[in-house]
Amino acid sequence: KTWDVILPQIMDRSDADAVSAVLQGDVERYAELVDRYQSQALKVAFSLLGNYDDAKDASQEAFFRAYRALARFRGGAKFSTWLYRIVVNECKDVYKRRARAPRATLVVGEPSASDEPSLFVDVGDPAANPGDQGSNRELGQRISAAIGALPDKQRTAFVLHHVHGLPLEDVAAIMQCRLGTVKSHIFRATDHLRCALGPWVAQEGILT
């Protein structure tokens, strides 16, 4: 794989300083980048894979690969966008190695290791009564299953933009495609989700 692509974003000054220091031999400064982005990188991987152990392995491998490829990183680009692209590629490799379909999830707060392989989108209301909480949990599970069933590119674009809130331009850079293509993936993903969730869309007002 190669990741030395010029991305159309401006890198944060603190990231630029750390990258420059590492390239000049101060390798311990790489820990700053790991500390800054490891939580979000794990969440991105977790959202795409739906399994904490796989996500942890993928995000750790992404940081290792990013370190080895750092000399090919072009200054002026966002380090975070470049890193997330490597994370997404690692998740694709996990799909191939495991030969199984991933499940998408939304992480609220820090993910935790669990024996339960299927996590869910948290749409709960802390003030809701027990009956409503059960309904919210079911809705979250249905949304997770629907996202997990999306084609790979649609799922990736939808998760990065709608789950993690990344700008469309960043998603395009991560997926290495045109902005219009990203918009098309997200539009189709949303349409598929509306169809898959059916009455839940009308009842709960989601995806509106």
Side-chain angles (χ1 to χ4, degrees):
K1 298 185 183 70
T2 59
W3 299 294
D4 47 332
V5 176
I6 298 177
L7 306 180
Q9 299 97 17
I10 299 175
M11 181 162 59
D12 179 88
R13 184 70 260 167
S14 58
D15 288 352
D17 290 344
V19 169
S20 178
V22 173
L23 293 177
Q24 293 177 38
D26 189 1
V27 296
E28 293 185 0
R29 292 287 300 277
Y30 191 67
E32 295 178 20
L33 298 169
V34 175
D35 290 342
R36 190 171 299 147
Y37 294 110
Q38 64 179 347
S39 177
Q40 188 62 31
L42 176 58
K43 289 177 182 179
V44 168
F46 189 53
S47 295
L48 293 171
L49 295 170
N51 179 280
Y52 178 80
D53 290 333
D54 285 347
K56 185 177 180 180
D57 289 345
S59 60
Q60 289 178 343
E61 181 65 17
F63 276 108
F64 175 71
R65 289 181 179 272
Y67 175 75
R68 295 190 64 181
L70 199 60
R72 300 199 301 273
F73 175 67
R74 304 293 180 85
K78 274 187 180 179
F79 177 81
S80 58
T81 304
W82 183 71
L83 173 66
Y84 298 153
R85 178 147 48 90
I86 299 175
V87 172
V88 169
N89 286 337
E90 284 302 313
C91 289
K92 291 179 181 179
D93 287 346
V94 171
Y95 303 155
K96 295 175 184 177
R97 289 196 299 268
R98 302 293 189 244
R100 61 174 173 76
R103 279 185 265 190
T105 64
L106 170 63
V107 180
V108 178
E110 294 299 322
S112 59
S114 171
D115 293 330
E116 173 58 55
S118 176
L119 301 180
F120 59 93
V121 175
D122 186 358
V123 295
D125 178 358
N129 61 50
D132 288 340
Q133 289 178 0
S135 178
N136 288 337
R137 182 182 180 89
E138 182 181 356
L139 174 59
Q141 292 171 330
R142 286 177 179 268
I143 294 174
S144 276
I147 294 175
L150 291 171
D152 176 67
K153 292 181 180 179
Q154 292 180 25
R155 180 178 59 252
T156 300
F158 186 90
V159 165
L160 290 175
H161 182 58
H162 284 300
V163 174
H164 294 286
L166 295 182
L168 291 171
E169 292 79 5
D170 285 12
V171 177
I174 291 169
M175 296 183 68
Q176 295 184 282
C177 62
R178 296 179 182 274
L179 182 62
T181 303
V182 168
K183 292 179 179 178
S184 177
H185 287 324
I186 293 175
F187 176 83
R188 292 185 180 187
T190 303
D191 191 53
H192 285 164
L193 291 175
R194 285 197 182 101
C195 293
L197 295 170
W200 288 87
V201 173
Q203 179 180 342
E204 303 292 337
I206 57 177
L207 300 175
T208 56

